[in-house]
Amino acid sequence: MKNAPHEKCFACDKPLHGNPPLVDTRDDQTVYVGPECFRRIRAAGEAGYQPPLGGPRLYLLKPF
């Protein structure tokens, strides 16, 4: 899995380990993030978290 889509955090590009959290971009895409970025996304709440490297805002997945 050299080029796995979730090999690196979508928000900060750091390597992912274990079972990374899945978050929402609100444009029909879900992405994997690392634990530090996940804490920032959770803290941002409904406003979403804007990754420092750019890209779409990230939000927690809504429960069904």
Side-chain angles (χ1 to χ4, degrees):
M1 291 192 8
K2 184 83 172 157
N3 294 320
H6 57 275
E7 190 173 280
K8 293 185 177 184
C9 174
F10 182 84
C12 70
D13 222 23
K14 290 182 182 176
L16 294 175
H17 304 284
N19 190 18
L22 190 63
V23 298
D24 187 17
T25 63
R26 300 259 170 99
D27 63 358
D28 295 330
Q29 182 182 5
T30 53
V31 295
Y32 290 96
V33 295
E36 289 178 36
C37 291
F38 184 72
R39 281 191 289 275
R40 292 181 179 127
I41 294 164
R42 188 172 41 202
E46 290 293 318
Y49 171 68
Q50 180 65 54
L53 300 178
R57 288 180 108 41
L58 301 174
Y59 304 86
L60 295 175
L61 286 173
K62 300 262 185 196
F64 294 99

